[in-house]
Amino acid sequence: MTKLRWCLLTITAVLLALLPQTTARAADQPITDPIPERPITSGLGLTVEEYASFPKSEPTPAPVDPRLMRWARINAIGEVPDGSRRMYVPDLNGKMYLVENGTPHVYLDVGATFAPDFFSGRGLGQGFGYVAFDPGFKHNGRFYTVHTESGPGLATKTPDLTPQPNTLFHGIINEWTADDPSAATFHGTRREILRLGFAGQIHGIQQIGFNPTARPGDKDYGLLYIAAGDGGQGQAAGNDDPQDLAIPHGKILRIDPRGRDSANGEYGIPATNPFVGKPGDLGEIYAYGMRDPHRFSWDTGGRHRMFLGHIGEHAIEAVYDIRAGDNLGWPDREGPFVFNKSDRCNLYPLPADDAAHGYDYPVAAYDHDPPADWPCSGDIGRAISGGYVYRGHKLPELYGKYVFGDLVDGRVLYTDEREMRRGGPRAPIHQLMLFDTTGKRVTMQDLAGDKRVDLRFGTDGRGEIFLIAKANGKIWKVTGTRHFAAGDVGHTRVSHTAGPENWAPITPAKWRFEGDQVILAEPGESRPGPRRPFEYAVLTKGPQFGSVRIDADVRIDTPTDIGNRDVIIVFGYRSDTQFYYAHLSQDNTIYPHNGVFVVNDADRVRIEDQWDPVRSRGATPAITDTKWHHVQVVHQTGTGEIAVYVDHSKTPLMTAVDKTFTSGRVGFGSFDNIGRLRDLRVTGTGVNG
């Protein structure tokens, strides 16, 4: 090992020691919650409008897995690189569409071409999986497809590289040459360039693609990247295929479709590939150690990095910054943790000598967050769908953000490209909101009409982003951005609110007014009626407010060793049994704490987005000490949007949408704790009582 390599490994080891996932634990101590940090609610949202809807399609043979029973298994979208602005969309069930002005038509029927061996009825990625257009397509008419085959026909077809034992499926890459690149339907020739054999019906060839940042004359120009999964075999005892450099499984391959120096003579092996010339190693390998390399893309700005969305086995969904020769560690590692094949329930800390292995770890990741009683061998329903760094010009607030998501539940996420640093702390992940063209907040589950969205992403030639759902066979284009609960709340202002003459407490004897402070000096006590805060005071100065922004400093005076400490900000107050309140607490693990609630002549109901009832966990605790904290509550009554900010954060701690009350007064209080408020300022639209 060179001195430089040893120094780099040493530095990496030091950095890893600083990361949250490698806190001091015994190497054999399981980690039950690998990534405690949840995606951060972003105040930024995307406006989407429907772009295209596709015909219903059926898998071949008829599926038994309900996850394959989709309206149309559209799998990607991209722009044909010929200046026509046509978009291409593959359907796993066999057809390739071109879309012009939002209307799709069949360009090529891949399934029919390879029938009866074409196979799309088992395995989530089987069928016509992907298409990649040669960057010179306008002139040469070439593009490439991936499809799967099974059945008796395989007996006469041989994989080009070492197949997995007991091969059941083949993944095949074909080159097509159109006689007329501008034609609406394909007519031309084809040739098979690479065939791989897989023992399982999952984790086959997931994607193929060309580096869009490479230009003629660059060493990467015209080279085809191939994401080949582990065939679903990597987690099996005794299987180490992703680490075996003699076979293609669990790797990203890179080939030259115009070359001829491969073993089958149908493609070339780039001399710059990292394992070229090494005895026993496949020269086609670009990076390795992968389970399910689902989607990759290049940042067309910045440093032109290649990012990979990698689907995990037990718990980790990850984004990697991929470079030549990288080893992601599977199946010895799942993300930045040790994977133990004999334990399907836990991951483990990295060993002290981890740097010596040379594994490369994610630049961003989230975990599955299963409920406590979830069987550890069961599929929790989490899987990353890799995306793109936005470098378009229509959405400046999205610029430089890597937009991706969870393909199952349809969450749309982002990280900042500048924060995704190899060897550094993982980049924070933010969850984006979605809005339809009327301004109504929606989710991908709403748009897809199904809890299982099967979300994918794509871009056009200008970098604008599209969202895809197999559930109903539709595609949406991102057309704008907007901030949650933003906009003018009104211009009526109330301040200088200290003093008993400005407040109406539930129990006046429990309150003190000193200087500019409003002090709840004694704990409240439970009262008859619906479950609601025990003690609060309503601001009587000024009018009732419709849309409103409340700014104040608050403090919890109850000692921190008492776990259920809280104060509340009241808004939309109509009566003692009709109001909203933001509950600010150091406990985010029980239903009544650290959330946004509505009381409407019944027990309080939690309404904010951050509460996860399955895991019994809410937003990050708002206040964990006895110091002053700035709190801002915004309520836009027109949309029902409610946002709570703490300590001048640009991202809301809590968000909710509710239209129960459209006006009311504001207040301050607690359940059964003591605390205080100062410098209260209320801005909004004054309304008559």
Side-chain angles (χ1 to χ4, degrees):
M1 182 181 294
T2 66
K3 183 176 181 181
L4 176 60
R5 173 69 169 162
W6 178 253
C7 291
L8 289 173
L9 290 175
T10 302
I11 292 170
T12 300
V14 172
L15 288 171
L16 286 171
L18 299 176
L19 301 186
Q21 68 269 18
T22 54
T23 52
R25 293 187 181 96
D28 60 351
Q29 180 182 349
I31 303 172
T32 56
D33 189 4
I35 302 178
E37 306 86 13
R38 300 170 64 198
I40 302 164
T41 298
S42 174
L44 182 64
L46 307 179
T47 299
V48 299
E49 65 178 36
E50 187 173 321
Y51 169 72
S53 181
F54 290 78
K56 185 174 178 58
S57 64
E58 300 292 344
T60 303
V64 295
D65 185 341
R67 295 175 298 176
L68 274 67
M69 299 173 187
R70 310 274 76 188
W71 180 263
R73 296 174 66 208
I74 50 177
N75 207 35
I77 184 171
E79 185 170 323
V80 178
D82 62 357
S84 68
R85 305 190 72 171
R86 296 179 295 175
M87 305 294 288
Y88 61 84
V89 177
D91 183 323
L92 282 159
N93 290 333
K95 290 183 173 63
M96 174 181 166
Y97 296 92
L98 291 186
V99 185
E100 298 183 72
N101 300 317
T103 302
H105 68 268
V106 176
Y107 177 73
L108 171 65
D109 192 336
V110 173
T113 301
F114 297 105
D117 296 334
F118 178 82
F119 188 95
S120 66
R122 303 287 186 275
L124 297 178
Q126 302 281 63
F128 169 34
Y130 219 86
V131 58
F133 281 78
D134 186 288
F137 171 79
K138 181 176 182 178
H139 304 291
N140 61 36
R142 290 194 295 268
F143 62 94
Y144 300 82
T145 62
V146 171
H147 75 277
T148 52
E149 294 181 2
S150 185
L154 266 58
T156 60
K157 300 176 181 179
T158 304
D160 297 304
L161 303 176
T162 303
Q164 292 178 321
N166 304 312
T167 292
L168 297 174
F169 301 91
H170 287 179
I172 304 99
I173 299 174
N174 276 273
E175 177 186 86
W176 307 73
T177 303
D179 295 337
D180 178 5
S182 65
T185 57
F186 176 80
H187 183 273
T189 60
R190 64 175 172 83
R191 69 183 181 95
E192 183 176 309
I193 64 172
L194 179 62
R195 178 179 290 261
L196 303 181
F198 295 90
Q201 65 186 21
I202 57 175
H203 310 170
I205 300 177
Q206 293 283 31
Q207 182 183 351
I208 56 176
F210 295 94
N211 180 353
T213 71
R215 297 292 178 260
D218 294 347
K219 64 181 181 180
D220 213 28
Y221 184 77
L223 301 186
L224 184 66
Y225 287 76
I226 303 163
D230 70 355
Q233 308 301 300
Q235 78 282 359
N239 187 290
D240 206 35
D241 288 355
Q243 292 295 316
D244 187 346
L245 293 174
I247 60 176
H249 309 89
K251 318 289 193 306
I252 289 179
L253 312 177
R254 183 172 67 171
I255 65 173
D256 179 2
R258 308 310 300 161
R260 290 293 184 269
D261 64 343
S262 62
N264 69 359
E266 298 294 336
Y267 61 89
I269 300 175
T272 54
N273 279 3
F275 302 102
V276 168
K278 297 185 178 181
D281 294 352
L282 280 181
E284 290 91 338
I285 296 173
Y286 183 78
Y288 65 111
M290 302 171 195
R291 176 183 180 269
D292 191 6
H294 187 252
R295 290 290 183 268
F296 58 78
S297 66
W298 284 265
D299 180 4
T300 57
R303 290 169 283 169
H304 293 174
R305 293 191 287 170
M306 180 184 186
F307 292 112
L308 170 70
H310 185 269
I311 297 177
E313 166 71 19
H314 171 74
I316 306 302
E317 306 302 317
V319 181
Y320 289 84
D321 174 357
I322 299 294
R323 300 180 187 176
D326 277 357
N327 180 1
L328 277 54
W330 177 254
D332 301 317
R333 301 287 184 270
E334 183 179 344
F337 304 96
V338 170
F339 179 79
N340 184 340
K341 293 183 179 181
S342 65
D343 183 354
R344 297 302 303 276
C345 297
N346 301 289
L347 297 176
Y348 291 83
L350 298 177
D353 66 345
D354 184 67
H357 297 281
Y359 296 133
D360 299 282
Y361 293 124
V363 293
Y366 64 97
D367 68 17
H368 290 180
D369 286 334
D373 59 349
W374 192 265
C376 52
S377 60
D379 181 4
I380 188 62
R382 298 283 188 273
I384 192 171
S385 183
Y388 299 83
V389 177
Y390 180 77
R391 298 294 183 184
H393 300 289
K394 293 184 178 180
L395 311 173
E397 291 189 285
L398 208 60
Y399 192 81
K401 293 177 171 59
Y402 176 74
V403 180
F404 65 107
D406 190 278
L407 65 86
V408 180
D409 63 27
R411 285 176 295 168
V412 180
L413 310 167
Y414 82 80
T415 63
D416 193 313
E417 180 270 333
R418 295 170 300 178
E419 296 179 330
M420 294 195 289
R421 298 185 292 270
R422 288 170 61 106
R426 292 188 302 270
I429 293 176
H430 304 258
Q431 182 170 342
L432 288 159
M433 297 180 182
L434 299 178
F435 299 89
D436 66 17
T437 53
T438 70
K440 178 184 177 182
R441 194 178 69 162
V442 294
T443 66
M444 281 304 302
Q445 293 181 353
D446 296 330
L447 296 174
D450 200 302
K451 289 186 177 180
R452 183 181 177 92
V453 174
D454 275 322
L455 173 67
R456 304 293 190 276
F457 295 84
T459 62
D460 62 18
R462 292 155 300 286
E464 302 305 325
I465 292 179
F466 294 79
L467 310 178
I468 305 167
K470 292 181 188 176
N472 60 357
K474 291 186 176 183
I475 297 179
W476 296 263
K477 185 176 183 179
V478 179
T479 59
T481 58
R482 58 162 289 187
H483 286 272
F484 184 78
D488 189 8
V489 294
H491 303 287
T492 301
R493 294 181 175 85
V494 176
S495 58
H496 304 293
T497 58
E501 68 277 9
N502 296 322
W503 295 86
I506 295 293
T507 311
K510 295 181 181 293
W511 293 80
R512 299 202 312 266
F513 299 87
E514 300 176 356
D516 65 346
Q517 297 184 20
V518 178
I519 304 170
L520 176 55
E522 297 180 21
E525 298 174 358
S526 179
R527 296 176 289 123
R531 186 73 175 179
R532 63 203 189 281
F534 298 166
E535 185 65 38
Y536 58 85
V538 175
L539 179 69
T540 57
K541 182 179 180 179
Q544 293 189 29
F545 285 90
S547 292
V548 68
R549 183 178 66 247
I550 305 163
D551 288 275
D553 293 336
V554 301
R555 194 175 91 184
I556 303 177
D557 292 338
T558 302
T560 57
D561 59 354
I562 296 177
N564 64 345
R565 306 164 64 244
D566 73 272
V567 290
I568 64 166
I569 300 293
V570 173
F571 57 103
Y573 179 87
R574 310 300 299 273
S575 72
D576 184 39
T577 58
Q578 290 187 323
F579 58 92
Y580 295 109
Y581 65 94
H583 190 279
L584 310 171
S585 173
Q586 73 177 23
D587 186 349
N588 70 339
T589 63
I590 57 175
Y591 180 85
H593 277 247
N594 212 63
V596 180
F597 297 81
V598 60
V599 178
N600 188 19
D601 293 329
D603 288 356
R604 43 79 178 121
V605 175
R606 190 161 193 153
I607 59 173
E608 98 282 357
D609 305 307
Q610 287 65 42
W611 177 248
D612 181 350
V614 174
R615 300 181 66 228
S616 188
R617 183 181 295 182
T620 302
I623 300 175
T624 59
D625 53 32
T626 55
K627 298 178 181 179
W628 288 99
H629 294 271
H630 182 77
V631 175
Q632 183 180 87
V633 178
V634 181
H635 181 203
Q636 294 281 8
T637 57
T639 61
E641 295 174 355
I642 300 166
V644 180
Y645 300 83
V646 176
D647 291 332
H648 304 284
S649 172
K650 294 182 179 180
T651 58
L653 180 69
M654 306 169 193
T655 56
V657 176
D658 188 272
K659 292 187 176 182
T660 303
F661 305 124
T662 58
S663 65
R665 293 192 173 274
V666 304
F668 170 73
S670 177
F671 271 80
D672 53 359
N673 289 273
I674 56 176
R676 58 189 69 199
L677 170 146
R678 70 182 183 190
D679 195 21
L680 172 66
R681 290 160 288 136
V682 185
T683 305
T685 301
V687 299
N688 294 325

